[in-house]
Amino acid sequence: MKANKTDPHDAAGLAQLAGTSFYKEVHVKSPAAHGVGSMITARGHLVEARVRLDNMIRGLCATFGSVLRVLQIR
């Protein structure tokens, strides 16, 4: 099945499928819920980037003889 069905014949076929209970009704999240989910995802990406950067700096310093300790940020 093509991803984008736009002609009248495809619309009629999709309407027939919808009428036969082949497709289930789904819950659509509110815009606020999408916003919260986006913020949580963005925060996760930022935390991962910070950890990668910390580890890279620590590794480079260790290569040249400097040992850095891990700081816990709360």
Side-chain angles (χ1 to χ4, degrees):
M1 185 182 266
K2 291 191 284 184
N4 191 6
K5 300 286 193 170
T6 56
D7 68 28
H9 296 294
D10 290 333
L14 289 173
Q16 183 180 4
L17 282 174
T20 61
S21 300
F22 184 73
Y23 287 106
K24 292 183 188 176
E25 186 175 332
V26 295
H27 173 72
V28 178
K29 293 182 181 177
S30 68
H34 278 288
V36 169
S38 296
M39 294 297 286
I40 290 171
T41 300
R43 181 187 182 279
H45 288 305
L46 289 172
V47 168
E48 288 175 11
R50 187 194 71 214
V51 169
R52 276 195 313 268
L53 184 59
D54 288 348
N55 291 338
M56 185 186 308
I57 291 170
R58 191 174 303 108
L60 287 171
C61 289
T63 301
F64 295 103
S66 241
V67 177
L68 301 177
R69 60 189 178 101
V70 178
L71 296 176
Q72 294 296 323
I73 300 174
R74 295 183 201 193

